[in-house]
Amino acid sequence: MLYTIIPYELIFEKREDIPTNYIELKMGNKQLVVEKLSNGNYIIQRMYSTNPFDYLDAKYSPGSMISIY
Amino acid sequence: MSNFLKNEETEQPQTLPHVQENLKNLGQTNVPNFESNIHCLTIIGQIEGHMILPPQNKTTKYEHIIPQLVAIEENPNIKGVLILLNTVGGDVEAGLAIAEMIASLSKPTVSIVLGGGHSIGVPLAVSANYSYIVPSATMTIHPIRMTGLIVGVPQTFDYFNKMQDRIVEFIVRNSKIKRDTFMKLMLKTGELANDIGTILVGKEAVDYGLIDEIGGIKEALKRLHNMIEEREKKKGEE
């Protein structure tokens, strides 16, 4: 059951314009949302951590490239 | 937002380089070698619980937050938690679960409502030991809406009432607002465009006793540091 100010129609609406190929993963204590690029690298879309200093790490800021292997 | 900026002198639109280009040009930044003893919990968008929401929703996932709170409680290097809220509400059970977890942490907690702390964001805001709201933030208090397959029987009404009661009980237990006042705000007419309820802007939330004080990051961190100091003192005396 949802308790929110956003109408249900907007929450559950089918949208074609939103990319769905993002991958969620965890690196150390950071939660990352990444997008796979055609060259096999991954580009960071979002990073989440409770440690505020993780946000100063340029390696994990949105837009930076990482390789996962 | 548009990708073009007007050059101030020539008035010609300029293309902004991509973020990654920018980062490459700026080179590596050094991460300061300094451990923070305060961790922050950012709760944004929809609170996602039992159901995965479609990708157009920005969500805070309950299965991420709960273990993080456990880790924060267990890690001796973390002395306090700052909760940053900008949420439109979400799953009742997930919201209440996170709120109860925050309320039962032994470490000092301070919350700030930024932008909005609506619906299930209200119990999350009051769950901290001390709560702040920035002057421009709003909190919407309204009844739970019925959707989906609903059987038109008195029991349905009772069920919704019970769900609502759990939320109201938590808010009353964790803030200075009186139950009667809260119910009045929740059932007020003429305030929201096509719904009943109330929008509280900044100071109003403080006046009703829902939030402790008006303030931003500076006030919140100062309060948190003081609370940590006090706790350490108490520990030292024991």
Side-chain angles (χ1 to χ4, degrees):
Chain A
M1 184 187 280
L2 296 181
Y3 181 37
T4 171
I5 53 164
I6 306 285
Y8 274 60
E9 304 86 68
L10 289 181
I11 297 172
F12 293 103
E13 185 185 21
K14 254 206 145 32
R15 297 247 310 247
E16 309 291 326
D17 56 325
I18 308 282
T20 50
N21 54 343
Y22 290 167
I23 305 159
E24 267 184 57
L25 57 101
K26 215 173 166 207
M27 271 187 140
N29 289 321
K30 305 172 191 79
Q31 301 274 356
L32 301 174
V33 174
V34 296
E35 184 186 354
K36 195 175 182 180
L37 298 175
S38 48
N39 64 6
N41 278 344
Y42 294 82
I43 185 162
I44 295 179
Q45 293 292 343
R46 211 183 303 166
M47 194 274 288
Y48 180 84
S49 166
T50 56
N51 185 353
F53 289 96
D54 283 346
Y55 290 90
L56 298 178
D57 193 340
K59 266 192 293 187
Y60 293 100
S61 54
S64 46
M65 227 88 84
I66 50 166
S67 53
I68 305 166
Y69 289 113
Chain B
M1 212 180 78
S2 143
N3 239 354
F4 297 98
L5 273 190
K6 279 234 171 81
N7 187 314
E8 272 177 24
E9 281 168 14
T10 58
E11 289 278 305
Q12 287 296 309
Q14 277 184 316
T15 322
L16 277 182
H18 284 108
V19 184
Q20 61 263 51
E21 286 295 322
N22 223 336
L23 276 175
K24 260 187 222 159
N25 296 339
L26 290 167
Q28 283 254 305
T29 33
N30 285 327
V31 184
N33 206 359
F34 171 70
E35 278 283 314
S36 171
N37 60 4
I38 289 175
H39 270 218
C40 61
L41 205 64
T42 330
I43 299 176
I44 53 105
Q46 289 276 349
I47 314 293
E48 195 177 287
H50 303 301
M51 250 196 304
I52 295 176
L53 299 179
Q56 70 261 30
N57 298 283
K58 255 200 177 182
T59 63
T60 296
K61 291 177 175 58
Y62 145 97
E63 68 270 31
H64 290 171
I65 299 290
I66 300 277
Q68 261 159 345
L69 283 167
V70 177
I72 286 170
E73 178 74 12
E74 282 288 288
N75 188 334
N77 295 328
I78 302 170
K79 306 286 187 206
V81 193
L82 184 68
I83 297 133
L84 302 167
L85 280 169
N86 191 0
T87 174
V88 289
D91 192 275
V92 173
E93 310 249 289
L96 283 179
I98 299 169
E100 288 282 11
M101 280 292 282
I102 296 169
S104 60
L105 277 184
S106 73
K107 292 177 180 177
T109 49
V110 171
S111 65
I112 317 179
V113 181
L114 303 153
H118 311 285
S119 322
I120 204 74
V122 179
L124 285 167
V126 303
S127 66
N129 298 140
Y130 205 84
S131 52
Y132 283 94
I133 185 166
V134 293
S136 61
T138 57
M139 299 178 91
T140 311
I141 299 163
H142 63 97
I144 296 184
R145 286 183 203 122
M146 296 195 185
T147 37
L149 266 181
I150 284 160
V151 196
V153 289
Q155 286 89 327
T156 307
F157 179 72
D158 284 348
Y159 177 68
F160 271 82
N161 235 347
K162 231 179 222 168
M163 278 302 232
Q164 206 157 278
D165 249 11
R166 291 164 72 188
I167 300 164
V168 176
E169 187 270 333
F170 183 90
I171 293 166
V172 171
R173 173 153 51 94
N174 287 282
S175 74
K176 285 180 282 201
I177 200 165
K178 293 267 174 314
R179 196 192 156 84
D180 292 350
T181 321
F182 190 81
M183 288 315 287
K184 240 180 240 161
L185 292 174
M186 191 182 240
L187 302 174
K188 204 166 170 185
T189 48
E191 180 103 355
L192 298 182
N194 48 10
D195 203 347
I196 52 176
T198 318
I199 301 178
L200 299 177
V201 183
K203 200 178 163 297
E204 289 172 332
V206 180
D207 292 342
Y208 281 110
L210 197 57
I211 297 292
D212 291 314
E213 214 177 301
I214 284 268
I217 184 81
K218 179 175 71 208
E219 289 85 4
L221 277 178
K222 198 173 164 201
R223 166 78 54 173
L224 194 52
H225 281 295
N226 284 345
M227 283 159 81
I228 292 169
E229 226 170 81
E230 255 170 53
R231 185 167 180 259
E232 296 289 299
K233 235 189 247 163
K234 245 188 214 160
K235 259 191 183 169
E237 281 164 13
E238 271 166 21

